[in-house]
Amino acid sequence: MRLATRMGRLGTETAFEVLVRAKALEAQGRDIVHLEIGEPDFDTPANIVAAGAEALHGGWTHYGPSAGQPELKEAIAAYLNRSRGTAYDAGQIIVTPGGKPVMFFVMLALLEAGDEAIYPNPGFPIYESMIDFAGATPVPSPLREANHFSLDIDELAGLITPRTKLLILNSPGNPTSGVLDREQIERIAELAVAHDLWVLADEIYSEILYEGEHVSIATMPGMAERTILLDGFSKTYAMTGWRLGYGAFPTALVDPINKLMVNSVSCTSMAVQRAGIEALNGPQDEVRAMVAAFRARRDLMVDGLNAIEGVSCVLPKGAFYVFPNISGTGKTSREFADLLLSEHGVASLAGTAFGAHGEGYLRLSYANSEANLRKALGRIKDAVAAVR
Ligand SMILES: Cc1ncc(COP(=O)(O)O)c(C=O)c1O
């Protein structure tokens, strides 16, 4: 039995593998602090759960339009337009089961052999995986600690060739929590227009921002017709398991992407979409409370990590990850992450799980209780002391 060759080009997300290993250790009676998975530890706000349950009882149990329910698409367009200053029409929105399928569909729709796509590295591993899968060449754009894990725009400009077709941005970013500011976004938009590039702007962490403003490249001159804005409900509303996300597309891409929806999942769950309407149009105070909790935990983690000799950590402006430099331990990221889990009971991800430029770093998700974070910090300190 032989798989199709393309399967050899498909990567994965290490977070799920580490979770399995951590669970296996727990099954043996070990106490593990989970800092590996990128999801809020909070439950979905009760008003959203109630809307989903009510929808199920109310008969929202059938197929629906592949691009999404009109009422949710209206709510999404209105949300984007008020939060970003865009001018989307509901017809440009496609609702998907999580934000991830937007990546899959965009790469399948736009990329082929001979094309190059620039993506952040370290970055969300699915970008590189999907570029490869679509047959194009992934071109890493390094994110460096010296720039607070923001892009170096001059370096980015140097990566663009006549073959470059797509540029992927992710601000605030996973795994580094780096953020692009307005001036950087303006310069990137100029490059995209000058070189006629598509831009996939992954803005899934836009609401989890502790300082400054979130700037969407879709608002820049000439960008509405070349930007795909990816967002969703997983992070902002603690809805990872519901699987609800969306893309806002230039009109020319709506039909092709909708065709990919029809050919894959048909539509996103109807009841889940009803819950999404409540999430966007209902009270937002729980979102604010979650972000405030994340900010306090960020400060706890950054202070705690910087107090450990041999470790340094920049203060992230958004998302819920810290990306400490552990090169002072003398171990590779992978070695240190393995040791931290097996010997000290902290599940984390090696920076290299997000690309080669993640060597020397760990990703720790602080979507966990302050008590657990303190426990993890103590264990990380012990692990560093044991190897130095
Ligand atoms: C950068 C980034 N984009 C997109 C996603 C996809 O989220 P979902 O498919 O749950 O909406 C994630 C999830 O971890 C992420 O970190």
Side-chain angles (χ1 to χ4, degrees):
M1 299 287 275
R2 204 172 60 82
L3 293 178
T5 317
R6 74 174 82 87
M7 289 305 291
R9 302 195 303 267
L10 201 55
T12 188
E13 248 192 282
T14 316
F16 293 102
E17 290 169 16
V18 173
L19 179 67
V20 169
R21 279 173 51 210
K23 292 275 179 209
L25 288 172
E26 279 172 332
Q28 293 166 18
R30 294 277 306 281
D31 175 53
I32 307 291
V33 184
H34 290 274
L35 304 185
E36 76 278 37
I37 285 280
E39 67 169 346
D41 54 320
F42 301 105
D43 289 331
T44 306
N47 60 312
I48 301 175
V49 175
E54 201 180 303
L56 285 171
H57 289 298
W60 290 91
T61 52
H62 301 271
Y63 289 132
S66 55
Q69 282 170 31
E71 203 178 336
L72 177 58
K73 295 200 301 177
E74 292 285 352
I76 291 168
Y79 159 72
L80 289 176
N81 295 344
R82 70 176 176 267
S83 63
R84 315 293 210 277
T86 47
Y88 287 117
D89 176 88
Q92 292 176 268
I93 310 298
I94 296 183
V95 181
T96 46
K100 230 180 195 179
V102 174
M103 296 172 201
F104 204 89
F105 296 158
V106 165
M107 316 265 193
L108 286 184
L110 297 182
L111 298 178
E112 59 198 340
D115 293 335
E116 293 174 3
I118 301 177
Y119 70 101
N121 185 321
F124 192 54
I126 302 308
Y127 304 145
E128 183 179 349
S129 164
M130 275 310 300
I131 296 167
D132 246 335
F133 191 65
T137 305
V139 178
S141 174
L143 304 184
R144 296 204 176 79
E145 188 180 355
N147 296 332
H148 279 229
F149 300 111
S150 202
L151 279 171
D152 176 331
I153 312 296
D154 292 327
E155 188 175 22
L156 174 70
L159 298 173
I160 299 172
T161 75
R163 290 176 178 270
T164 310
K165 191 157 185 198
L166 173 71
L167 169 63
I168 302 175
L169 302 177
N170 177 213
S171 175
N174 177 10
T176 65
S177 296
V179 169
L180 293 166
D181 65 23
R182 179 173 290 278
E183 196 196 323
Q184 290 172 306
I185 294 277
E186 281 168 1
R187 290 192 58 202
I188 298 169
E190 284 165 15
L191 287 171
V193 171
H195 296 276
D196 196 21
L197 309 180
W198 292 100
V199 172
L200 171 61
D202 182 343
E203 301 187 6
I204 202 142
Y205 295 100
S206 68
E207 295 289 347
I208 306 173
L209 188 67
Y210 309 115
E211 53 204 79
E213 51 168 354
H214 174 71
V215 184
S216 177
I217 198 162
T219 59
M220 297 291 151
M223 288 308 296
E225 58 266 39
R226 60 181 69 252
T227 303
I228 299 99
L229 193 162
L230 179 163
D231 201 344
F233 296 73
S234 287
K235 318 289 174 175
T236 308
Y237 297 101
M239 291 178 71
T240 49
W242 294 70
R243 309 311 300 132
L244 186 61
Y246 54 90
F249 297 88
T251 308
L253 283 185
V254 170
D255 283 348
I257 299 293
N258 202 22
K259 236 187 215 174
L260 287 164
M261 276 294 287
V262 174
N263 276 274
S264 53
V265 293
S266 295
C267 66
T268 305
S269 154
M270 289 287 113
V272 167
Q273 292 190 62
R274 301 307 294 173
I277 297 169
E278 173 61 21
L280 289 176
N281 293 347
Q284 302 295 306
D285 41 323
E286 290 206 42
V287 175
R288 284 188 282 274
M290 284 191 264
V291 174
F294 285 143
R295 174 197 279 265
R297 296 168 185 185
R298 169 196 70 160
D299 294 345
L300 171 72
M301 285 305 280
V302 172
D303 290 348
L305 288 164
N306 281 322
I308 301 172
E309 209 159 322
V311 176
S312 63
C313 185
V314 299
L315 183 71
K317 291 186 186 145
F320 40 68
Y321 310 107
V322 283
F323 204 63
N325 184 329
I326 52 94
S327 55
T329 61
K331 299 277 179 199
T332 66
S333 297
R334 184 65 201 264
E335 286 167 349
F336 191 72
D338 284 348
L339 191 95
L340 197 56
L341 176 59
S342 58
E343 306 285 319
H344 301 272
V346 177
S348 68
L349 296 184
T352 42
F354 301 90
H357 291 278
E359 185 54 87
Y361 299 88
L362 280 189
R363 190 194 78 169
L364 306 174
S365 162
Y366 52 84
N368 206 323
S369 69
E370 289 197 14
N372 277 338
L373 296 179
R374 284 182 210 282
K375 196 196 280 187
L377 284 167
R379 292 179 180 184
I380 294 168
K381 188 174 178 191
D382 292 344
V384 173
V387 295
R388 282 188 98 220

